[in-house]
């Protein structure tokens, strides 16, 4: 007797499914190989890194590149990057959630115009804002500081747009019931809205962290001293100083990419759920 599922389809693994899994695995291996090459290359001696023959599995492992990397203030650069990216991520998520909730659920004159202004600002490249941002930060004395790295990135139009789309899915009756029960506006936002928009905030947290971590252009303009450098900026400086030391550069690249992987794994559940909800209800 053949076994069928609840919709009448035959159970079992079809040949097409097996082929699809194999193709997906091949694509995954293709895209993961450069990352594998970078990690293993960071543990290879210089002769193995620059060898003409392709060495998939390292014959000799060495920590020389990592020791050389941490002779520089790499830990301080890593701390600077982490502090900047996490600070920006927290502030962007909180302010974007508040602005998105206001644009989605509150009634006031000019609300639609304000929303379309945010949408229009998403089309502006960052380079257009460089001069006014730098002038403002310079006048406030925030050059070469965490304030200058974090606060200019907080007003992110994409974050407001994303959280507005998620806030629209909240039931208005629930918010009205909270108001009838005597909740203040902030308590309604904190106790009811924030827990319900967690998936959207998870997706936004990953986008914000990656954008802040890779914001090399603004960091290059703003940072003037070596101790205030971020890790991507420090690694780029090593490239100028040790242009042919590929093992050292691979160690720097590995150290620079690991925090992003940790953040993605930490928020992966919310990221997947957030993107799915956004695609269905956005």
């Amino acid at each position: 007797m053949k076994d069928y599922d609840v919709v009448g389809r035959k159970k079992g693994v079809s040949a097409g499914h097996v082929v699809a899994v194999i193709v997906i695995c091949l694509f995954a291996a293709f895209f993961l190989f450069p990352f594998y090459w970078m990690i293993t290359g960071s543990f290879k001696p210089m002769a193995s890194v620059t060898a003409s023959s392709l060495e998939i599995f390292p014959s000799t492992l060495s920590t020389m590149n990592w020791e050389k990397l941490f002779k520089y203030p790499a830990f301080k650069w890593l701390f600077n990057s982490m502090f900047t990216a996490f600070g920006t991520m927290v502030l962007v998520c909180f302010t974007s959630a508040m602005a998105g909730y206001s644009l989605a659920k509150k009634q006031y004159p000019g609300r639609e115009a304000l929303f379309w202004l945010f949408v229009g600002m998403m089309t502006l490249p960052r380079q257009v804002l460089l001069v006014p941002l730098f002038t403002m930060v310079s006048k406030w004395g925030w050059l070469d500081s965490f304030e200058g790295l974090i606060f200019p990135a907080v007003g992110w139009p994409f974050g407001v747009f994303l959280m507005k789309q998620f806030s629209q899915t909240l039931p208005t009756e629930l918010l009205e019931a909270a108001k009838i029960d005597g909740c203040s506006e902030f308590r309604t936002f904190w106790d009811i809205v924030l827990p319900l928009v967690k998936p959207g905030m998870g997706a936004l947290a990953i986008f914000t962290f990656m954008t802040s971590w890779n914001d090399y252009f603004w960091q290059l303009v703003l940072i003037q001293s070596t101790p205030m450098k971020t890790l991507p900026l420090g690694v780029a400086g090593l490239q100028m100083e040790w242009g042919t030391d590929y093992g050292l550069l691979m160690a720097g690249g590995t150290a620079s990419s690991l925090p992003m992987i940790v953040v993605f794994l930490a928020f992966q559940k919310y990221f997947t759920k957030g993107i799915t909800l956004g695609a269905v209800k956005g």
Side-chain angles (χ1 to χ4, degrees):
M1 180 178 176
K2 293 182 179 179
D3 196 6
Y4 295 89
D5 61 15
V6 292
V7 295
R9 293 175 302 190
K10 185 180 179 182
K11 287 184 176 179
V13 180
S14 65
H17 179 76
V18 174
V19 172
V21 170
I22 292 174
V23 171
I24 290 171
C25 290
L26 289 176
F27 270 104
F30 177 77
F31 287 110
L32 286 174
F33 182 75
F35 188 66
Y36 167 79
W37 186 255
M38 182 177 68
I39 294 177
T40 56
S42 69
F43 289 100
K44 291 178 182 176
M46 186 67 176
S48 298
V49 175
T50 57
S52 57
S53 59
L54 186 63
E55 190 178 272
I56 301 296
F57 301 104
S59 57
T60 306
L61 293 177
S62 169
T63 59
M64 182 183 63
N65 296 316
W66 289 91
E67 292 170 5
K68 193 185 297 182
L69 173 66
F70 286 105
K71 285 180 181 176
Y72 293 87
F75 279 119
K76 182 67 169 64
W77 296 344
L78 179 62
F79 171 79
N80 293 343
S81 286
M82 295 289 288
F83 188 84
T84 301
F86 271 109
T88 306
M89 181 182 73
V90 171
L91 290 176
V92 166
C93 287
F94 185 71
T95 56
S96 297
M98 290 186 74
Y101 168 61
S102 168
L103 290 171
K105 293 298 180 183
K106 296 299 174 185
Q107 299 294 332
Y108 49 84
R111 187 187 67 161
E112 287 299 319
L114 189 60
F115 171 68
W116 287 110
L117 178 62
F118 275 110
V119 174
M121 289 172 64
M122 289 168 59
T123 64
L124 290 177
R126 186 72 185 275
Q127 289 77 4
V128 174
L129 303 174
L130 179 65
V131 174
L133 274 179
F134 184 82
T135 304
M136 182 179 67
V137 169
S138 177
K139 285 183 178 178
W140 289 351
W142 284 356
L143 291 178
D144 206 32
S145 69
F146 286 118
E147 293 91 337
L149 286 172
I150 294 174
F151 285 107
V154 171
W156 196 20
F158 172 74
V160 176
F161 173 79
L162 184 67
M163 296 313 299
K164 192 250 184 186
Q165 300 303 104
F166 274 91
S167 297
Q168 279 181 332
T169 65
L170 302 179
T172 305
E173 295 79 8
L174 182 63
L175 303 176
E176 291 175 346
K179 191 174 182 180
I180 292 172
D181 287 343
C183 281
S184 63
E185 287 291 347
F186 184 76
R187 190 175 175 190
T188 302
F189 170 75
W190 186 263
D191 289 340
I192 298 176
V193 175
L194 275 187
L196 293 177
V197 297
K198 268 185 182 177
M201 290 183 69
L204 179 61
I206 292 178
F207 285 134
T208 309
F209 189 90
M210 291 178 62
T211 303
S212 176
W213 190 272
N214 294 321
D215 192 9
Y216 176 81
F217 185 60
W218 177 247
Q219 296 168 5
L220 180 64
V221 171
L222 190 78
I223 300 303
Q224 298 170 344
S225 63
T226 300
M228 271 305 296
K229 279 184 178 179
T230 56
L231 191 57
L233 204 61
V235 171
L238 294 180
Q239 188 174 7
M240 288 186 282
E241 186 175 349
W242 301 84
T244 56
D245 195 340
Y246 299 115
L248 175 62
L249 298 179
M250 287 183 182
T254 303
S256 181
S257 58
L258 286 179
M260 282 195 290
I261 295 173
V262 172
V263 169
F264 177 78
L265 293 176
F267 290 94
Q268 184 182 17
K269 180 178 66 175
Y270 294 118
F271 180 75
T272 307
K273 191 175 179 181
I275 292 297
T276 306
L277 285 176
V280 174
K281 298 180 180 179

